[in-house]
Amino acid sequence: MHQHCVFQLLNNWETSVVLYYSPNGTTKTMAQQIARGIESVSDAEAMLRTVPIVSAVCEQSADVIPESGYLYATLDDLRQCDGMALGSPTHFGNMAAPLKYFIDNTTDVWFRGALTNKPAAVFTSTGSMHGGQETTLISMMLPLLHHGMILLGLPSSEHALRETQTGGTPYGASHVSHGQQSLSKDEKSLCFALGARLAHTALKLKTS
């Protein structure tokens, strides 16, 4: 996957942003699997982006570029993408504050309608089976609806969705860590499927 923003000159090339926050690495692993699903589709590219932590010290400002890992997301990433997957660990049934802080500052993107009619998907991870996965996924959908995005879930035709004993919901991909970072076979399959569905839909909308 590409860590730097590369925009193709061909009109039929699709770029989807996989935007996530992952303090412990679990949601990052999901993001990477979703990116693999995106790039399994011909003429589709995944752009992995993260967000900095929210500092409790008002005077402190985050670096523009992180010391390691994927780049921090910018509003231009959203303006220029063709689709987006949004991911966060569950914090009391809601997305984590750093991701919400970034989303709360996308007003200019909203005014310009830059995300309108673009497809979007959501994903999350929790430490326990009943940690609030579905409410977190739904909470992440709300600002995307305000942006006019077309929300994609996981259809029941996905075999892993019917068989999973860990994470996985119709609302989006999910992971139950139980204190471990590794994804189950079904969770990996559903992340991959969600990425592929996002890319296929973005391509169809872009070329229609």
Side-chain angles (χ1 to χ4, degrees), residues 20-28 50-51 53 87-91 96 98 125 181:
Y20 71 93
Y21 174 68
S22 183
N24 299 314
T26 306
T27 311
K28 177 181 178 180
T50 188
V51 294
I53 62 172
S88 171
T90 290
H91 285 196
S125 61
Q181 291 190 9

Side-chain angles (χ1 to χ4, degrees), residues 26 29-31 33-34 123-129 133 154 159-161 163-169 172-178 180-195:
T26 306
T29 302
M30 296 182 71
Q33 192 68 17
I34 289 170
F123 59 101
T124 191
S125 61
T126 59
S128 61
M129 184 64 76
Q133 291 188 353
L154 285 164
H159 180 74
L161 188 60
E163 299 296 326
T164 182
Q165 297 296 310
T166 51
T169 80
S174 66
H175 166 62
V176 182
S177 69
H178 295 300
Q180 300 177 352
Q181 291 190 9
S182 58
L183 273 63
S184 71
K185 180 181 178 181
D186 289 331
E187 291 171 341
K188 288 180 181 178
S189 175
L190 292 171
C191 286
F192 189 93
L194 189 63

Side-chain angles (χ1 to χ4, degrees), residues 4 45 111 117 125 160 167 171 173 195:
H4 299 283
E45 178 186 42
F111 272 122
N117 293 330
S125 61
Y171 308 106

Side-chain angles (χ1 to χ4, degrees), residues 49-65:
R49 292 290 187 268
T50 188
V51 294
I53 62 172
V54 176
S55 173
V57 181
C58 295
E59 291 79 10
Q60 180 178 336
S61 60
D63 293 333
V64 175
I65 300 175

